[in-house]
Amino acid sequence: MYYIEEIRSAKATELLKKCGLSLPENVDYTAGLFDDNWQLVATASLKGDMIQGVAVDPDFQGEDLTGKLLTHIISRAKDKGMDSLHLFTKPDKTSQFEGLGFKAVAVANPYAALMEWGGGIDAYKRSLEAAKVSAAKSGAVVMNCNPFTKGHKFLVEQAAKAVDVLYVIVVEEEKSLFSFKDRFSMACAGTSHLDNVILVPGGRYAVSALTFPSYFTGEADLAKAHSAMDAEIFAQQIAPALGISVRFVGTEPFSEVTAVYNEVLKERLPKYGIEVCEIERLTDGALAISASRVRQCYEAGDIEGLAALVPSTTLDYIKENLWNE
Amino acid sequence: MIINKAYAGTLESSDIFVEIEPADEGAGIELKLTSAVYKQFGPQIEEVILETLKANGIEDAKVTANDRGAVDCTIRARVEVAALRAKGEV
C-alpha cells in the first residue's frame, strides 16, 4: 500500500536530489507518497497552477506512482477551483505525461516542453479566433504597456502601416506596477486612432510567468530558454489562431534580456513562416523612451517629465484614474 | 437540472478520470475522450460513458474523460459517481 499526505516541501529535498532535481521554491503545496515503511518514495508540488518538483524514487519506478501522485495533485487543484494546470518537462518526456492526459502546448527544443492539464490553451485560442479579422497580411506586437508610452505608440503606428491588420497582444500577467486593466485601457486609448489595430489580452500564454525553474537548463541559459519557450508558444499556438505572418519588435538598447529575446525570436519564428521585423525605437534626444524611465516620473509625481514621455491619452488616464485615488 | 463541476476516478493504470462541467440547456453532451487504447476501444468507451450519463439523467454537460485502459464496469462506476457528484447527490 501507498499513502499520500501533505509534507513540508523541504522534506522532499533528498528525494529530489536523488532524481537530479533541486527543490522548487515558494510552492503552495507539496505532496509526499509513502510506502508501507513510511519511506518517502515520490513527491510533487503545486505553485499556483504550476506542478513542480515531480520526482519518483528510481527504485520504485514502473509502479505507476506518477499516476497516483498526479491524481492527488490535480484533485487538490480542482477542489481549489483551478481548471488548467501546467508543468514543464524535458522534450523527450512528453509522451509520459500525454499518457496521463496532459497535452503539449509547445515544445522548445532542447530546453523544455510545456504540458497542460485541462482546456486552457483551447479556450484561449477560441477567444483569439473570436477576435480575429480575416486579412491578407496580419501582424502582431506583444507589449506589457507598463504604462503605454510614446515609444509604444510609435512602434504600433509603424507596425500598423506595414500590415492590413495588427494585433496588439497585451501581457495579462499581474507582475507590473500598473494593473492589467489599467495597462489594457491605456493601450486602447493610445491606439484608438488606428483603424486596423485590434487589442487582445495575452492570457496565460504571451510572455507569462509560465517560466521554468533553472534546473532545466542552468542559470546561464535561462534567459535564452525562457525566450525560446515564449517564441514557440507564440509560433505554435497564438500565431496560427490569429493568422499572423509577421511579428514586430522594438530594437533593444537597454536590456540584455530583451536583446536575447529578440535574437531568439529571429532564430525561431521564421521556421514557422513568421517574419520578425525589428522597428527602431523612438528616441527622445539621446535616450530611447523606456517604460522604466516613465515609471520613475510616475512614482515621483513628475507631470512634466511624464508628459514628455507618454501620449496625452496615457497622461489623461493616469490623472483621471490613478492619481485621483 | 443544475449541474456542478465534478470529477471521479484516478489517472492510475486500468482506471479512468472523468470530469463533468455544466453546459447550456439543449447543448447536449460534449464528450472529450483521451485514451491510450482509443484506436481499439474509443467508440466503445464513448458509448459506455454516454449510456451511463443518460441513465443518470445528465443531458447537457461538458464531459472530459482520461482513460488508462479501464474496463466497462470501471468506466460505468466512475461516470456514475461523477454524475451523482455533479448533481450534488453525493
Side-chain angles (χ1 to χ4, degrees):
Chain A
M1 270 298 283
Y2 293 98
Y3 312 90
I4 299 180
E5 63 174 34
E6 180 172 10
I7 56 171
R8 280 181 301 114
S9 71
K11 245 184 129 179
T13 311
E14 234 170 89
L15 176 58
L16 286 161
K17 209 170 161 188
K18 197 172 171 186
C19 299
L21 300 170
S22 50
L23 190 68
E25 286 168 8
N26 306 319
V27 296
D28 303 322
Y29 178 81
T30 300
L33 190 149
F34 297 86
D35 70 358
D36 280 326
N37 305 315
W38 284 102
Q39 185 198 339
L40 180 70
V41 294
T43 179
S45 294
L46 206 52
K47 180 181 181 177
D49 67 355
M50 293 290 307
I51 301 169
Q52 297 188 337
V54 181
V56 176
D57 190 319
D59 299 339
F60 290 80
Q61 266 161 21
E63 298 202 31
D64 201 20
L65 299 187
T66 315
K68 273 195 195 354
L69 197 58
L70 288 181
T71 300
H72 175 83
I73 288 280
I74 288 167
S75 306
R76 187 189 155 87
K78 289 214 155 279
D79 293 342
K80 295 261 169 202
M82 284 177 245
D83 282 323
S84 282
L85 291 169
H86 300 95
L87 73 82
F88 285 104
T89 188
K90 287 288 185 188
D92 59 353
K93 296 264 174 65
T94 53
S95 61
Q96 189 197 334
F97 290 102
E98 275 164 354
L100 292 169
F102 284 77
K103 273 176 303 186
V105 173
V107 181
N109 283 311
Y111 306 110
L114 172 61
M115 310 295 295
E116 181 175 84
W117 170 276
I121 186 69
D122 290 335
Y124 180 60
K125 276 162 67 181
R126 277 198 298 276
S127 77
L128 291 181
E129 278 152 14
K132 184 183 171 182
V133 172
S134 292
K137 191 174 184 188
S138 298
V141 282
V142 179
M143 312 181 137
N144 198 19
C145 306
N146 184 34
F148 189 82
T149 67
K150 282 184 179 170
H152 292 119
K153 191 179 170 196
F154 177 78
L155 185 99
V156 171
E157 283 169 350
Q158 297 303 307
K161 271 185 221 165
V163 290
D164 300 309
V165 169
L166 180 74
Y167 296 94
V168 175
I169 301 170
V170 182
V171 175
E172 192 159 347
E173 193 149 43
E174 300 287 10
K175 277 208 169 170
S176 307
L177 177 64
F178 295 91
S179 71
F180 170 68
K181 182 182 149 276
D182 290 336
R183 289 183 286 112
F184 198 82
S185 302
M186 287 185 272
C188 276
T191 56
S192 60
H193 61 298
L194 300 165
D195 292 338
N196 64 337
V197 168
I198 296 170
L199 266 77
V200 289
R204 259 327 244 122
Y205 303 95
V207 200
S208 82
L210 286 178
T211 50
F212 34 96
S214 54
Y215 58 69
F216 265 94
T217 147
E219 292 288 345
D221 260 358
L222 201 56
K224 217 173 162 185
H226 284 162
S227 305
M229 194 74 238
D230 192 71
E232 295 294 340
I233 296 172
F234 180 82
Q236 294 174 30
Q237 303 285 354
I238 297 172
L242 290 171
I244 288 160
S245 61
V246 49
R247 166 87 179 253
F248 297 93
V249 291
T251 51
E252 182 47 59
F254 297 128
S255 152
E256 205 176 314
V257 173
T258 312
V260 167
Y261 182 70
N262 286 355
E263 282 313 306
V264 170
L265 286 182
K266 281 190 236 169
E267 177 190 310
R268 291 183 182 253
L269 297 192
K271 289 178 192 160
Y272 297 88
I274 302 163
E275 183 195 339
V276 178
C277 180
E278 226 169 356
I279 291 174
E280 194 70 37
R281 276 220 196 197
L282 185 65
T283 54
D284 158 38
L287 284 174
I289 292 172
S290 85
S292 49
R293 273 177 66 206
V294 178
R295 290 194 292 277
Q296 287 165 10
C297 293
Y298 171 78
E299 295 200 301
D302 176 0
I303 294 190
E304 273 173 41
L306 260 186
L309 300 169
V310 304
S312 58
T313 49
T314 296
L315 194 61
D316 290 346
Y317 186 89
I318 288 175
K319 280 186 192 161
E320 278 164 32
N321 298 285
L322 302 172
W323 276 346
N324 246 345
E325 283 162 14
Chain B
M1 177 194 310
I2 296 165
I3 293 181
N4 308 303
K5 281 187 189 175
Y7 62 88
T10 78
L11 298 173
E12 294 171 48
S13 184
S14 308
D15 203 344
I16 184 167
F17 190 89
V18 181
E19 298 172 65
I20 298 181
E21 280 178 60
D24 297 334
E25 212 182 310
I29 303 288
E30 184 189 319
L31 173 59
K32 266 191 219 158
L33 170 67
T34 315
S35 174
V37 291
Y38 190 88
K39 270 188 194 155
Q40 297 87 337
F41 299 107
Q44 190 183 326
I45 297 168
E46 282 169 352
E47 202 184 305
V48 174
I49 293 173
L50 292 174
E51 254 174 31
T52 313
L53 288 169
K54 199 175 168 189
N56 284 277
I58 305 265
E59 286 168 359
D60 306 302
K62 285 181 192 162
V63 179
T64 313
N66 269 291
D67 169 60
R68 289 198 67 202
V71 293
D72 287 4
C73 57
T74 306
I75 299 170
R76 270 189 217 106
R78 296 311 196 188
V79 175
E80 181 160 351
V81 171
L84 293 173
R85 285 178 180 161
K87 293 191 287 181
E89 288 175 15
V90 223

